[in-house]
Amino acid sequence: MILGGLEVITRQLVRNLRHIAQQQQPCGVDLTLRQVSEWTSAATIDFDNSKRQAAKVLSLPFDNTTHTIALQPGAYLVDFNETVQIPRDCMASVFPRSSLWRSGVGIHAGVVDAGYKGAMGALMEVKNPNGVILYKDAKLAQIVFEAMGEPVEGYNGIYQSSTSSVGRDGIEKP
């Protein structure tokens, strides 16, 4: 069963909203742009995380006057303003807003596990050959919660209670 946006907000499953009335949707809650970063190194991914090494990133600045950022085609790491607290009987998925993909931009994110709490981020791919201009706090994605049949033990990994999506050993620079 999908939880409606009103229930998600009432239960405070998504926090740090910019404007509740504008972010509440029938099937979820809109996520807004806090930061854009680009990767500056390779990452290492293994089976048991014993050799895991997050890629290093460089935070890209917004224009101080217009509060925009112009992005050329490519892949970017985006952090959202909102944080989540997923109950142990729910999971969540993140989907791009239609205005984004209609503009040649995609959002990709993994499953948000039951029990996870903390920052939210995603991979953003700019496919439009002319790029895209984004305003700080732009609505980019929608998080949708789905109730599970029963509570589970819940997520307890390295990203629990994280404050950004950079990841372990990823260094976010101004």
Side-chain angles (χ1 to χ4, degrees), residues 12-141:
Q12 297 183 352
L13 305 183
V14 178
R15 298 169 180 203
N16 302 319
L17 292 147
R18 293 293 169 255
H19 193 283
I20 292 172
Q22 291 182 14
Q23 289 181 257
Q24 178 185 323
Q25 298 298 327
C27 298
V29 174
D30 286 334
L31 301 175
T32 60
L33 178 62
R34 176 174 66 87
Q35 180 64 52
V36 179
S37 301
E38 61 184 0
W39 290 275
T40 60
S41 74
T44 302
I45 309 291
D46 64 341
F47 179 76
D48 65 0
N49 294 336
S50 64
K51 296 174 183 70
R52 181 184 217 151
Q53 181 71 38
K56 304 288 190 246
V57 299
L58 175 65
S59 297
L60 302 175
F62 287 92
D63 180 277
N64 287 332
T65 304
T66 63
H67 307 288
T68 62
I69 188 166
L71 301 173
Q72 294 304 307
Y76 301 90
L77 177 65
V78 293
D79 279 287
F80 300 116
N81 288 304
E82 296 73 24
T83 59
V84 296
Q85 188 159 349
I86 312 292
R88 292 185 314 113
D89 63 350
C90 289
M91 59 84 64
S93 301
V94 176
F95 299 96
R97 286 179 42 93
S98 63
S99 56
L100 213 61
W101 60 259
R102 291 173 199 267
S103 300
V105 180
I107 291 283
H108 310 280
V111 167
V112 188
D113 282 322
Y116 173 75
K117 61 182 175 185
M120 292 292 302
L123 164 67
M124 182 173 67
E125 283 189 289
V126 178
K127 295 289 193 173
N128 182 330
N130 299 297
V132 66
I133 297 171
L134 298 173
Y135 280 85
K136 182 153 180 39
D137 300 328
K139 294 190 285 185
L140 298 182

